[in-house]
Amino acid sequence: MRVANLSGRLCLVSDDRAVDVHEASGHRFPSDPQAVYDRWDEFRTWAAQVDTGAGTPFDPADLGAPAPAPRQLFAIGLNYREHVDEAGFTTPETMPPVFTKFASSITGPVTDVTLPLGGHTDWEVELVVVVGRPARRVPEAEAWDYVAGLTVGQDLSERILQMSGPSPQFGLAKSYPGFSPMGPWLVTPDEFDDPDDLELACSINGEQVQHGHTRHLLFPVPALLSKLSEVLELSPGDVVFTGTPAGVGLGRTPQRWLDHGDELVSSIRGIGELRQRFNRA
Ligand code: ZN
């Protein structure tokens, strides 16, 4: 099942067709794409009998983030070994670094992004998890039952601000306008042969710069949900950026940053792709 935010309305989609959930359900479910996660189990049962092939064609440019206003947005650092190495850190043992990207930075999958003036803007393709049930002290073995679905995310990061001062500024440096694109839609875990092994990649102007597999996550999705929910309660619709594989600009020799006119395409096989075009202010 694929769930999309189309012009701000909750939809079920197939390749090129969309069904408006509010209309098709006889107004049983609201049109707000974020509100559905509070009734996720009920929604899934209803949605299973919807024929998306009978929907209407849509324009991918109208897609928004599948979880546009989460109560909490978590981002995980240092979660692939080769990325830990290129970033010059030591491997986390019991808990990876957890920070937030502020929700005002969330956008849909196809956008133009203004580069912060004088900054070094970097790319980080990531698997993104959206939570489907309240989760508190969830055992790893049950964690996938708490996942509404998966989507593609870009954890865009301005490295000068991130590295400035006495301690890293992850939250602000990764929260400039447009720095958290997500999409193109949410795919439910049952759609994958193995949701713990997804292939992700990103390219700049057609040149591949990152390529990895989520089977190499140091803390896989079940471990992340278990560890986060050990500390606090996860709410339906919460978002978790799970970390990026190697190949970011920071870790290159020479270092490389996104520039005016660059097009960044971020993809996960079985989900889809994001497309960001960068402009100087
Ligand atoms: Zn990241």
Side-chain angles (χ1 to χ4, degrees):
M1 181 186 304
R2 293 181 171 200
V3 181
N5 169 355
L6 198 56
S7 301
R9 294 183 66 88
L10 178 67
C11 289
L12 289 163
V13 294
S14 57
D15 286 340
D16 58 352
R17 287 174 184 274
V19 170
D20 184 278
V21 169
H22 186 61
E23 296 304 328
S25 68
H27 299 193
R28 177 175 163 190
F29 296 101
S31 61
D32 177 359
Q34 189 67 44
V36 72
Y37 298 106
D38 286 324
R39 294 164 63 188
W40 187 252
D41 290 339
E42 179 193 355
F43 170 72
R44 278 211 62 176
T45 304
W46 171 81
Q49 48 82 43
V50 173
D51 174 18
T52 50
T56 49
F58 67 92
D59 184 348
D62 293 332
L63 289 165
R71 291 182 185 90
Q72 305 182 96
L73 195 173
F74 303 91
I76 307 299
L78 309 180
N79 206 9
Y80 291 83
R81 193 172 308 279
E82 289 172 2
H83 174 64
V84 175
D85 293 342
E86 74 176 351
F89 289 94
T90 54
T91 303
E93 302 278 341
T94 55
M95 182 76 125
V98 180
F99 53 94
T100 192
K101 289 168 74 69
F102 295 101
S104 59
S105 62
I106 294 173
T107 69
V110 181
T111 58
D112 289 325
V113 179
T114 300
L115 294 162
L117 210 59
H120 289 167
T121 300
D122 205 346
W123 55 89
E124 298 189 356
V125 63
E126 309 199 5
L127 174 68
V128 169
V129 175
V130 180
V131 174
R133 289 175 176 166
R136 179 77 171 128
R137 300 202 173 96
V138 174
E140 285 189 27
E142 297 170 17
W144 275 113
D145 296 341
Y146 291 79
V147 175
L150 304 173
T151 192
V152 186
Q154 248 299 337
D155 178 16
L156 292 169
S157 307
E158 198 286 287
R159 302 300 192 192
I160 294 178
L161 177 60
Q162 182 183 326
M163 305 302 183
S164 67
S167 71
Q169 288 273 18
F170 285 114
L172 274 184
K174 292 164 174 273
S175 298
Y176 284 88
F179 268 32
S180 304
M182 274 191 264
W185 33 64
L186 189 86
V187 182
T188 52
D190 59 288
E191 296 272 324
F192 302 95
D193 293 337
D194 180 359
D196 283 302
D197 186 14
L198 303 178
E199 183 180 359
L200 65 176
C202 79
S203 62
I204 300 171
N205 307 329
E207 174 196 350
Q208 188 173 84
V209 288
Q210 286 188 286
H211 179 234
H213 295 84
T214 61
R215 66 171 180 271
H216 295 135
L217 282 165
L218 296 170
F219 298 89
V221 171
L224 293 176
L225 296 191
S226 179
K227 285 175 181 296
L228 290 171
S229 72
E230 202 55 50
V231 177
L232 47 72
E233 178 162 314
L234 301 173
S235 294
D238 280 358
V239 167
V240 184
F241 277 63
T242 61
T244 198
V248 301
L250 176 75
R252 291 170 178 268
T253 310
Q255 292 182 325
R256 177 175 174 183
W257 316 114
L258 289 161
D259 202 355
H260 181 79
D262 281 347
E263 186 183 52
L264 180 68
V265 177
S266 314
S267 62
I268 298 179
R269 192 183 293 270
I271 301 178
E273 68 180 29
L274 311 177
R275 193 172 286 268
Q276 270 62 55
R277 174 80 67 177
F278 293 86
N279 303 293
R280 271 196 205 298

